[in-house]
Amino acid sequence: SQTIHQWPATLVQPVGSPLSLECTVEGTSNPNLYWYRQAAGRGLQLLFYSVGIGQISSEVPQNLSASRPQDRQFILSSKKLLLSDSGFYLCAWSVAGKGEQYFGPGTRLTVT
Amino acid sequence: GQNIDQPTEMTATEGAIVQINCTYQTSGFNGLFWYQQHAGEAPTFLSYNVLDGLEEKGRFSSFLSRSKGYSYLLLKELQMKDSASYLCAVRRGSTLGRLYFGRGTQLTVWP
């Protein structure tokens, strides 16, 4: 069966510090991978998606970036965090060509 | 862009039936999804409709009318554990599986 991992679970970072969140998927090959952010009281916002190694598409211009160095690894980064980057970050995967997305446990980021 | 609307909050009592509506406006529609999200947790997949009609899965059913841009999630025999946010999401056929989510409906089930 497939599982998806995210770490860390919670993170408190000062404004201006860098960020690296990691997501890995087990039990499947060549998944589509997604990063979402959910701010308090708001819906899920798609940030990045990837259909293969090194292939990243951005949905929203911002100070975040994503990379996919391996087939089942997806990384979300920032060089300098802003207060507005606080939120619940969720990684998800789907089978290529299928619609259902399955979410990881999430990382709750607080920028202070 | 996508406009996805659902009520912000709903309440119901244990054992009752509740219907959560979702309307959408999008081009290239290719499926509607419902997710359940408990407070502080990740969303979990509930149902998927791509053709008009009703899909039933145990206590949960989901309906789609593509011509009306309308879907609903029906929850029967409500239990306290059904208290959660219910997210409606639309997939566009041109976008390689990307989902666009509504803001969610917070359902509270009272004893």
Side-chain angles (χ1 to χ4, degrees), chain A residues 10-97:
Chain A
T10 59
L11 192 58
V12 180
Q13 292 283 98
V15 168
S17 64
L19 173 74
S20 181
L21 302 180
E22 189 162 343
C23 169
T24 59
V25 181
E26 295 177 356
T28 187
S29 296
N30 196 32
N32 288 348
L33 295 172
Y34 310 85
W35 277 112
Y36 289 88
R37 177 171 60 203
Q38 190 173 38
R42 302 190 65 179
L44 281 165
Q45 180 186 33
L46 179 63
L47 302 175
F48 300 95
Y49 70 98
S50 171
V51 299
I53 296 174
Q55 300 178 63
I56 309 293
S57 295
S58 173
E59 280 287 301
V60 181
Q62 59 220 325
N63 68 321
L64 299 172
S65 61
S67 62
R68 184 169 177 175
Q70 299 180 43
D71 181 44
R72 288 168 287 180
Q73 184 185 28
F74 206 21
I75 298 172
L76 183 70
S77 304
S78 174
K79 292 182 179 177
K80 287 186 178 182
L81 284 168
L82 307 173
L83 284 174
S84 58
D85 291 325
S86 293
F88 191 35
Y89 287 81
L90 290 153
C91 180
W93 74 275
S94 69
V95 173

Side-chain angles (χ1 to χ4, degrees), chain B residues 8-18 20 38 75 78-86 105-111:
Chain B
T8 303
E9 294 179 327
M10 297 184 71
T11 59
T13 53
E14 242 182 332
I17 299 173
V18 70
I20 302 174
H38 284 100
L75 292 77
L78 281 173
Q79 302 174 10
M80 299 289 289
K81 67 178 182 180
D82 297 328
S83 292
S85 182
Y86 291 85
T105 298
Q106 182 63 48
L107 173 66
T108 302
V109 180
W110 300 102

Side-chain angles (χ1 to χ4, degrees), chain B residues 27-72:
Chain B
S27 57
F29 175 83
N30 192 21
L32 188 135
F33 298 79
W34 285 96
Y35 283 80
Q36 180 191 59
Q37 186 177 24
H38 284 100
E41 298 181 7
T44 55
F45 171 73
L46 287 179
S47 69
Y48 165 55
N49 295 69
V50 65
L51 299 176
D52 291 351
L54 188 68
E55 294 283 341
E56 297 188 75
K57 270 189 181 182
R59 294 190 298 117
F60 293 2
S61 304
S62 57
F63 172 83
L64 175 67
S65 169
R66 289 172 295 171
S67 62
K68 295 182 179 178
Y70 168 69
S71 173
Y72 67 73

